[in-house]
Amino acid sequence: MSEKPSVTDRVVSAGFAAGWRLVPLLPRRLTAGAFRFGADRVWARRGKSVLRLESNLARVTGLAPGSPELRELTRAGMRSYFRYFEEIFRLPSMPVEEVVRRTHVTGGEHIFDTVAAGRGVVLALPHMGNWDQAGAWLVGVGHPFATVAERLRPESLFRRYVAFRESLGMEVLPLTGGDGHNFATLAIRVRRGGVVCLPAERDLTRSGVEVDFFGARTKVPAGPPLLAVQTGAALLPATVYFHGDDWGIDIHEEIPVPAEGTRQEKVAAMAQSLAHVFEKGITAHPEDWHMLQRLWLEDLPR
């Protein structure tokens, strides 16, 4: 029997429903300003999520904890995070042509050429910028894809998120609570020459692959490299960020499957290569890395 949603859960779900209904009806300047104001208010309160983001950014940048530079970077990070939410409320009503026109992409040929050759693609992304907008761009240029979504609380919010992403043309599989055949479904998609997009710098299943990331150990999902090893699909890292009022996407070169080693060793080596690419992308756009949770093993409670 599912857990009864709390009052907070119901308020959050209702707030998202109102956002998707009302934000597209209002001038963008008004809503963007309101979300920026909200971000500044949350940043000023210095709650747990803000302090965690600040701690994560300190590790990424080397800025001194408590320094004015780190505080300002964290504020920019919260503004970036809130901008993501303002934009997802607008995305379903935004013309596809506008999404494509305002997206600045480098390395797109790594996707297009691979798919044209009849080979599947596994795109692996960190939680940066507006990944839903990046998905809308990919669908808009003719490459619908499958992805996996974390199961949010309450269930009504999860269903709204799934409906939102499906409205953009994505196939969405639940991380938990589905039929238990996510990996097999994703493997079928890429074996048929399709595209799969997966978040890849935070292990949500507690059974990921341990890697070095910004000088400390963490775990990343095994799924993206394992799909490439099992199916022969191309594993392509991608980093997403805000480009002024527009969006930027960098599609990086394929991470090849090592020629030697066990399956586990190959997956581990490819996961580490992914982490190195993500380090470069996050270093270039640290304010757009939306990591407000504990990530490194040494930061986790025993």
Side-chain angles (χ1 to χ4, degrees):
M1 187 174 182
S2 60
E3 184 179 348
K4 183 178 180 180
S6 67
V7 173
T8 300
D9 287 340
R10 291 197 295 269
V11 169
V12 169
S13 182
F16 272 78
W20 272 304
R21 185 172 62 253
L22 298 177
V23 167
L25 303 177
L26 300 171
R28 184 176 181 276
R29 180 176 297 181
L30 175 64
T31 57
F35 276 77
R36 184 184 180 97
F37 175 77
D40 287 347
R41 290 291 299 274
V42 172
W43 171 79
R45 292 194 189 106
R46 295 183 62 75
K48 288 183 179 180
S49 295
V50 174
L51 293 177
R52 175 51 51 191
L53 176 62
E54 188 170 297
S55 174
N56 290 341
L57 290 175
R59 186 186 294 275
V60 165
T61 63
L63 292 172
S67 66
E69 294 83 4
L70 182 60
R71 290 285 305 276
E72 284 302 309
L73 179 60
T74 305
R75 178 163 67 172
M78 290 306 298
R79 287 177 173 179
S80 173
Y81 187 50
F82 272 59
R83 172 178 169 176
Y84 160 76
F85 288 107
E86 193 269 340
E87 288 185 349
I88 66 168
F89 294 142
R90 289 191 177 278
L91 265 177
S93 60
M94 189 177 296
V96 173
E97 297 78 12
E98 180 182 352
V99 173
V100 173
R101 174 176 54 82
R102 294 175 54 197
T103 304
H104 307 266
V105 182
T106 61
E109 69 276 3
H110 298 312
I111 300 174
F112 308 143
D113 294 349
T114 302
V115 173
R119 188 176 172 214
V121 167
V122 178
L123 279 171
L125 304 88
H127 291 80
M128 290 183 68
N130 189 335
W131 48 89
D132 287 307
Q133 178 278 328
W137 165 80
L138 188 57
V139 173
V141 295
H143 294 284
F145 62 91
T147 188
V148 174
E150 180 183 1
R151 194 135 210 148
L152 303 173
R153 291 182 53 193
E155 181 67 15
S156 59
L157 177 58
F158 173 71
R159 290 197 300 267
R160 293 186 199 283
Y161 245 107
V162 170
F164 155 64
R165 287 173 171 157
E166 288 178 341
S167 75
L168 300 178
M170 309 178 195
E171 178 187 6
V172 183
L173 307 175
L175 180 64
T176 57
D179 60 11
H181 298 108
N182 283 353
F183 188 87
T185 301
L186 297 175
I188 290 171
R189 300 296 181 266
V190 293
R191 282 194 173 109
R192 292 175 176 173
V195 180
V196 165
C197 296
L198 296 171
E201 97 285 25
R202 177 172 173 253
D203 175 46
L204 296 173
T205 65
R206 299 179 180 269
S207 60
V209 181
E210 195 168 316
V211 297
D212 284 314
F213 193 52
F214 287 104
R217 302 296 283 177
T218 188
K219 286 187 175 182
V220 298
L226 182 58
L227 269 175
V229 171
Q230 292 282 81
T231 67
L235 178 61
L236 302 180
T239 47
V240 180
Y241 50 92
F242 292 119
H243 188 281
D245 290 335
D246 296 342
W247 308 281
I249 306 175
D250 292 340
I251 311 297
H252 303 272
E253 293 184 355
E254 177 183 353
I255 294 177
V257 177
E260 298 181 355
T262 65
R263 181 175 64 180
Q264 184 176 4
E265 290 169 341
K266 292 177 180 179
V267 168
M270 296 172 76
Q272 184 62 72
S273 296
L274 268 179
H276 287 324
V277 176
F278 291 164
E279 286 175 335
K280 296 177 182 177
I282 293 168
T283 298
H285 306 279
E287 70 282 359
D288 290 332
W289 187 45
H290 303 154
M291 186 51 62
L292 282 70
Q293 300 86 17
R294 298 176 188 269
L295 181 69
W296 285 276
L297 299 183
E298 64 188 52
D299 294 334
L300 298 175
R302 290 181 181 276

